[in-house]
Amino acid sequence: MKQFLTTTVAASALALMLGLMPATAQEQRDPNAKPGGDIVITYKDDVSTLDPAIGYDWQNWSMIKSLFDGLMDYEPGTTTLRPELAESYEISSDGTVFTFKLRPGVKFHNGRDLTAEDVKYTLDRVTNPKTQSPGAGFFASIKGFDEVAGGSAETLSGVTVVDPSTIKIELSRPDATFLHVMALNFSHVVPKEEVEKYGPDFGKNPVGTGAYKLAEWTLGQRLVFEKNADYWNKGLPYLDKITFEVGQEPIVALLRLQKGEVDVPGDGIPPAKFQEVMSDPAQKERVVEGGQLHTGYITMNTTMAPFDNVKVRQAVNMAINKDRIVQLINNRAVPANQPLPPSMPGYSKDYKGYAYDAEKAKALLAEAGHADGFETELYVMNTDPNPRIAQAIQQDLAAIGIKANIQSLAQANVIAAGGDKAGAPMIWSGGMGWIADFPDPSNFYGPILGCGGAVPGGWNWSWYCNEDLDKMASEADSITDPAKAEERYKMWGTIYEKIMEDAPWVPVFNEQRFTMRSPRMAGADNLYVDPVHIPINYDYVYVNDVQ
């Protein structure tokens, strides 16, 4: 996995250096794919938003990707970049000017043609602080970003409409990740008139150019996506309709799958049923397993006492028994000692991290002035196994004198608390733990550990901001020469080691993905554990019982 990802990033960097203009390759379709049919997918919690500028959790991520499109995307089931709304693109020899030519004939769901003005509006909107996009920091390399972020400008000076089908984006510095950024949901194109029509409710009334259109959203019950008959990528999607049923407990969803009432349990296999499923040949045959660029972690709000003391945060790192937590999830993960997962370039193989040692943790806590411990709150998503993991964390903290009261809430409530500086002292990220937006070490920094993510509504729930590391991160991402890729990855490894010295997190484990599908669901396995269209690439799956 690491070798493949390294090759992908290096290839992108080579394109940066040489200013290549990749032509759109003819897509290879599944010859067995049958158009038509509908499926049912279940989730325990409702979806918070379908606005691409705002939505940022694993549940709505691929839903948004099916409703909207970006300039770039990835080949289905892979991490290989390719143009999407861009028919082609040019990159200057110094890697700072990107010129994208848009595909002809692309229409929004409201019937209007897509133009370069829509791309500019989208980028201006996502970077405007009024939007409160948790992904705004991804666009920091675009000229004019600082002015927009600071409120002195409304539009990005580096984004120019050349003509109705051409958009030019100038960067203030070379950025080895920029094509990946153009594939993120945050840069997926939205129509100005629909955003202005619905205002804050656009996320409940999404209008994009994607393969599906939102046909119904009954809060607390279901969302229904229907096929976009005018989709520019002819032949897709294969399905006529997808019904997302919400409010379904994972164990109930599994039972319904066994009865043929559900096609994919969106929350995966309930941990309490995992061994049972894997020991039953009929059920195991429906299981799809895949690796993922994931880390589950505990955040500590570094602006809130007593977690504003680094010794307290280091003590918490020493207090957590990660091996026991991995056992709680049937060993479907490996213990983590740093933010990056092992398969990501930049992972420090020789870094040891904080060993589990309750006695040393107590001693360090005493040095920090908390010999008698303290009381705090630990927020957790209320879907199994996360409450059980939180209880294990609670027990580990109690062993060193920290009384952590568990706040077990719906996903959206935990996310809201994390994005509030005065909200959650501690969060167990399980169910929301970081899965890379794109396969590059920088992605584990900006939104969740960088200063740009420490904003209201952001995902830097530790509110950690080290300006020296921000500068070092910018230097690393200015290296676009593929011959210096290892140098760049080494810089990122150093950044994460320095972060661990400050200990804003407790990295707990790196998880494998397991999902199930009904016998009628078809398509390649990697579509069901797609590394980018998480958790499922809805545009390319199909059913095998269409008449």
mmCIF file of all heavy atoms in Angstrom, residues 3-30:
data_model
loop_
_atom_site.group_PDB
_atom_site.id
_atom_site.type_symbol
_atom_site.label_atom_id
_atom_site.label_comp_id
_atom_site.label_asym_id
_atom_site.label_seq_id
_atom_site.Cartn_x
_atom_site.Cartn_y
_atom_site.Cartn_z
ATOM 1 N N GLN A 3 3.961 1.581 -1.020
ATOM 2 C CA GLN A 3 4.674 1.719 -2.292
ATOM 3 C C GLN A 3 3.747 2.277 -3.364
ATOM 4 O O GLN A 3 4.116 3.165 -4.129
ATOM 5 C CB GLN A 3 5.225 0.365 -2.740
ATOM 6 C CG GLN A 3 6.040 0.454 -4.026
ATOM 7 C CD GLN A 3 6.588 -0.899 -4.427
ATOM 8 O OE1 GLN A 3 6.323 -1.900 -3.788
ATOM 9 N NE2 GLN A 3 7.357 -0.916 -5.485
ATOM 10 N N PHE A 4 2.509 1.797 -3.389
ATOM 11 C CA PHE A 4 1.540 2.271 -4.380
ATOM 12 C C PHE A 4 1.247 3.749 -4.185
ATOM 13 O O PHE A 4 1.246 4.534 -5.125
ATOM 14 C CB PHE A 4 0.241 1.472 -4.266
ATOM 15 C CG PHE A 4 -0.869 2.016 -5.118
ATOM 16 C CD1 PHE A 4 -0.868 1.845 -6.489
ATOM 17 C CD2 PHE A 4 -1.901 2.726 -4.544
ATOM 18 C CE1 PHE A 4 -1.891 2.361 -7.275
ATOM 19 C CE2 PHE A 4 -2.930 3.240 -5.311
ATOM 20 C CZ PHE A 4 -2.922 3.050 -6.677
ATOM 21 N N LEU A 5 1.034 4.143 -2.918
ATOM 22 C CA LEU A 5 0.715 5.535 -2.656
ATOM 23 C C LEU A 5 1.882 6.444 -2.996
ATOM 24 O O LEU A 5 1.712 7.520 -3.540
ATOM 25 C CB LEU A 5 0.333 5.705 -1.180
ATOM 26 C CG LEU A 5 -0.960 5.013 -0.758
ATOM 27 C CD1 LEU A 5 -1.160 5.177 0.735
ATOM 28 C CD2 LEU A 5 -2.144 5.592 -1.501
ATOM 29 N N THR A 6 3.083 5.991 -2.678
ATOM 30 C CA THR A 6 4.263 6.790 -2.993
ATOM 31 C C THR A 6 4.357 7.019 -4.491
ATOM 32 O O THR A 6 4.643 8.122 -4.962
ATOM 33 C CB THR A 6 5.530 6.086 -2.493
ATOM 34 O OG1 THR A 6 5.409 5.868 -1.090
ATOM 35 C CG2 THR A 6 6.768 6.921 -2.752
ATOM 36 N N THR A 7 4.099 5.980 -5.254
ATOM 37 C CA THR A 7 4.139 6.103 -6.714
ATOM 38 C C THR A 7 3.110 7.108 -7.197
ATOM 39 O O THR A 7 3.381 7.925 -8.076
ATOM 40 C CB THR A 7 3.860 4.729 -7.363
ATOM 41 O OG1 THR A 7 4.841 3.813 -6.890
ATOM 42 C CG2 THR A 7 3.934 4.815 -8.861
ATOM 43 N N THR A 8 1.921 7.066 -6.607
ATOM 44 C CA THR A 8 0.865 7.975 -7.023
ATOM 45 C C THR A 8 1.255 9.422 -6.770
ATOM 46 O O THR A 8 1.114 10.279 -7.632
ATOM 47 C CB THR A 8 -0.439 7.657 -6.255
ATOM 48 O OG1 THR A 8 -0.788 6.310 -6.522
ATOM 49 C CG2 THR A 8 -1.565 8.569 -6.688
ATOM 50 N N VAL A 9 1.743 9.710 -5.563
ATOM 51 C CA VAL A 9 2.112 11.076 -5.227
ATOM 52 C C VAL A 9 3.269 11.554 -6.093
ATOM 53 O O VAL A 9 3.292 12.670 -6.583
ATOM 54 C CB VAL A 9 2.459 11.189 -3.730
ATOM 55 C CG1 VAL A 9 2.978 12.578 -3.415
ATOM 56 C CG2 VAL A 9 1.234 10.889 -2.895
ATOM 57 N N ALA A 10 4.240 10.674 -6.316
ATOM 58 C CA ALA A 10 5.379 11.049 -7.144
ATOM 59 C C ALA A 10 4.941 11.361 -8.567
ATOM 60 O O ALA A 10 5.445 12.290 -9.203
ATOM 61 C CB ALA A 10 6.416 9.929 -7.156
ATOM 62 N N ALA A 11 3.988 10.584 -9.073
ATOM 63 C CA ALA A 11 3.486 10.842 -10.419
ATOM 64 C C ALA A 11 2.819 12.207 -10.495
ATOM 65 O O ALA A 11 2.982 12.950 -11.468
ATOM 66 C CB ALA A 11 2.489 9.752 -10.821
ATOM 67 N N SER A 12 2.077 12.577 -9.435
ATOM 68 C CA SER A 12 1.463 13.895 -9.408
ATOM 69 C C SER A 12 2.533 14.974 -9.392
ATOM 70 O O SER A 12 2.417 15.997 -10.063
ATOM 71 C CB SER A 12 0.571 14.033 -8.165
ATOM 72 O OG SER A 12 -0.475 13.095 -8.196
ATOM 73 N N ALA A 13 3.581 14.746 -8.607
ATOM 74 C CA ALA A 13 4.658 15.724 -8.528
ATOM 75 C C ALA A 13 5.365 15.868 -9.863
ATOM 76 O O ALA A 13 5.755 16.964 -10.260
ATOM 77 C CB ALA A 13 5.658 15.311 -7.443
ATOM 78 N N LEU A 14 5.529 14.747 -10.575
ATOM 79 C CA LEU A 14 6.172 14.800 -11.881
ATOM 80 C C LEU A 14 5.346 15.644 -12.846
ATOM 81 O O LEU A 14 5.879 16.446 -13.617
ATOM 82 C CB LEU A 14 6.349 13.385 -12.440
ATOM 83 C CG LEU A 14 7.077 13.275 -13.790
ATOM 84 C CD1 LEU A 14 8.486 13.827 -13.664
ATOM 85 C CD2 LEU A 14 7.109 11.836 -14.257
ATOM 86 N N ALA A 15 4.019 15.491 -12.767
ATOM 87 C CA ALA A 15 3.153 16.316 -13.611
ATOM 88 C C ALA A 15 3.345 17.792 -13.279
ATOM 89 O O ALA A 15 3.350 18.651 -14.161
ATOM 90 C CB ALA A 15 1.695 15.916 -13.412
ATOM 91 N N LEU A 16 3.516 18.097 -11.985
ATOM 92 C CA LEU A 16 3.757 19.469 -11.584
ATOM 93 C C LEU A 16 5.022 20.029 -12.226
ATOM 94 O O LEU A 16 5.059 21.144 -12.712
ATOM 95 C CB LEU A 16 3.891 19.555 -10.054
ATOM 96 C CG LEU A 16 2.619 19.436 -9.228
ATOM 97 C CD1 LEU A 16 2.980 19.278 -7.760
ATOM 98 C CD2 LEU A 16 1.747 20.654 -9.407
ATOM 99 N N MET A 17 6.073 19.211 -12.205
ATOM 100 C CA MET A 17 7.351 19.681 -12.721
ATOM 101 C C MET A 17 7.324 19.901 -14.227
ATOM 102 O O MET A 17 7.837 20.882 -14.745
ATOM 103 C CB MET A 17 8.454 18.659 -12.403
ATOM 104 C CG MET A 17 8.924 18.659 -10.956
ATOM 105 S SD MET A 17 10.415 17.708 -10.834
ATOM 106 C CE MET A 17 11.575 18.738 -11.746
ATOM 107 N N LEU A 18 6.720 18.993 -14.922
ATOM 108 C CA LEU A 18 6.809 19.011 -16.378
ATOM 109 C C LEU A 18 5.681 19.792 -17.037
ATOM 110 O O LEU A 18 5.713 20.054 -18.237
ATOM 111 C CB LEU A 18 6.814 17.570 -16.907
ATOM 112 C CG LEU A 18 7.972 16.694 -16.405
ATOM 113 C CD1 LEU A 18 7.855 15.309 -17.009
ATOM 114 C CD2 LEU A 18 9.323 17.317 -16.741
ATOM 115 N N GLY A 19 4.664 20.176 -16.253
ATOM 116 C CA GLY A 19 3.553 20.922 -16.827
ATOM 117 C C GLY A 19 2.762 20.098 -17.813
ATOM 118 O O GLY A 19 2.377 20.560 -18.875
ATOM 119 N N LEU A 20 2.519 18.857 -17.468
ATOM 120 C CA LEU A 20 1.801 17.973 -18.385
ATOM 121 C C LEU A 20 0.332 18.352 -18.486
ATOM 122 O O LEU A 20 -0.239 18.952 -17.587
ATOM 123 C CB LEU A 20 1.910 16.525 -17.884
ATOM 124 C CG LEU A 20 3.336 15.963 -17.781
ATOM 125 C CD1 LEU A 20 3.266 14.542 -17.240
ATOM 126 C CD2 LEU A 20 4.021 15.977 -19.133
ATOM 127 N N MET A 21 -0.274 17.996 -19.595
ATOM 128 C CA MET A 21 -1.722 18.170 -19.767
ATOM 129 C C MET A 21 -2.330 16.800 -19.975
ATOM 130 O O MET A 21 -2.410 16.303 -21.093
ATOM 131 C CB MET A 21 -2.038 19.071 -20.961
ATOM 132 C CG MET A 21 -3.546 19.257 -21.186
ATOM 133 S SD MET A 21 -3.939 20.127 -22.703
ATOM 134 C CE MET A 21 -3.572 21.795 -22.246
ATOM 135 N N PRO A 22 -2.731 16.115 -18.878
ATOM 136 C CA PRO A 22 -3.271 14.767 -19.033
ATOM 137 C C PRO A 22 -4.581 14.796 -19.804
ATOM 138 O O PRO A 22 -5.483 15.565 -19.481
ATOM 139 C CB PRO A 22 -3.503 14.312 -17.590
ATOM 140 C CG PRO A 22 -2.713 15.268 -16.748
ATOM 141 C CD PRO A 22 -2.677 16.551 -17.498
ATOM 142 N N ALA A 23 -4.670 13.993 -20.810
ATOM 143 C CA ALA A 23 -5.927 13.852 -21.534
ATOM 144 C C ALA A 23 -6.838 12.921 -20.749
ATOM 145 O O ALA A 23 -6.382 12.089 -19.985
ATOM 146 C CB ALA A 23 -5.681 13.284 -22.924
ATOM 147 N N THR A 24 -8.134 13.075 -20.927
ATOM 148 C CA THR A 24 -9.084 12.213 -20.242
ATOM 149 C C THR A 24 -9.058 10.820 -20.863
ATOM 150 O O THR A 24 -9.350 10.649 -22.037
ATOM 151 C CB THR A 24 -10.504 12.788 -20.344
ATOM 152 O OG1 THR A 24 -10.479 14.119 -19.825
ATOM 153 C CG2 THR A 24 -11.483 11.951 -19.572
ATOM 154 N N ALA A 25 -8.689 9.864 -20.069
ATOM 155 C CA ALA A 25 -8.622 8.496 -20.579
ATOM 156 C C ALA A 25 -10.023 7.894 -20.659
ATOM 157 O O ALA A 25 -10.926 8.261 -19.921
ATOM 158 C CB ALA A 25 -7.743 7.652 -19.663
ATOM 159 N N GLN A 26 -10.204 6.970 -21.592
ATOM 160 C CA GLN A 26 -11.479 6.274 -21.706
ATOM 161 C C GLN A 26 -11.665 5.384 -20.491
ATOM 162 O O GLN A 26 -10.826 4.542 -20.196
ATOM 163 C CB GLN A 26 -11.490 5.424 -22.980
ATOM 164 C CG GLN A 26 -12.806 4.684 -23.209
ATOM 165 C CD GLN A 26 -13.967 5.624 -23.455
ATOM 166 O OE1 GLN A 26 -13.818 6.645 -24.113
ATOM 167 N NE2 GLN A 26 -15.119 5.302 -22.897
ATOM 168 N N GLU A 27 -12.731 5.591 -19.763
ATOM 169 C CA GLU A 27 -12.948 4.846 -18.538
ATOM 170 C C GLU A 27 -13.292 3.390 -18.838
ATOM 171 O O GLU A 27 -14.079 3.094 -19.724
ATOM 172 C CB GLU A 27 -14.087 5.491 -17.753
ATOM 173 C CG GLU A 27 -14.309 4.867 -16.401
ATOM 174 C CD GLU A 27 -15.381 5.609 -15.634
ATOM 175 O OE1 GLU A 27 -16.517 5.726 -16.136
ATOM 176 O OE2 GLU A 27 -15.090 6.076 -14.536
ATOM 177 N N GLN A 28 -12.673 2.510 -18.056
ATOM 178 C CA GLN A 28 -12.962 1.086 -18.183
ATOM 179 C C GLN A 28 -14.139 0.739 -17.277
ATOM 180 O O GLN A 28 -14.058 0.859 -16.062
ATOM 181 C CB GLN A 28 -11.723 0.259 -17.787
ATOM 182 C CG GLN A 28 -10.513 0.486 -18.687
ATOM 183 C CD GLN A 28 -10.781 0.066 -20.116
ATOM 184 O OE1 GLN A 28 -11.311 -1.006 -20.388
ATOM 185 N NE2 GLN A 28 -10.420 0.934 -21.062
ATOM 186 N N ARG A 29 -15.247 0.332 -17.862
ATOM 187 C CA ARG A 29 -16.442 -0.005 -17.103
ATOM 188 C C ARG A 29 -16.520 -1.512 -16.865
ATOM 189 O O ARG A 29 -15.978 -2.308 -17.635
ATOM 190 C CB ARG A 29 -17.694 0.456 -17.851
ATOM 191 C CG ARG A 29 -17.788 1.962 -18.061
ATOM 192 C CD ARG A 29 -18.174 2.688 -16.772
ATOM 193 N NE ARG A 29 -18.173 4.131 -16.960
ATOM 194 C CZ ARG A 29 -19.189 4.818 -17.485
ATOM 195 N NH1 ARG A 29 -20.276 4.201 -17.898
ATOM 196 N NH2 ARG A 29 -19.109 6.132 -17.588
ATOM 197 N N ASP A 30 -17.222 -1.879 -15.825
ATOM 198 C CA ASP A 30 -17.461 -3.283 -15.510
ATOM 199 C C ASP A 30 -18.382 -3.874 -16.587
ATOM 200 O O ASP A 30 -19.527 -3.431 -16.737
ATOM 201 C CB ASP A 30 -18.113 -3.382 -14.135
ATOM 202 C CG ASP A 30 -18.281 -4.804 -13.644
ATOM 203 O OD1 ASP A 30 -18.284 -5.727 -14.479
ATOM 204 O OD2 ASP A 30 -18.420 -4.995 -12.421
#
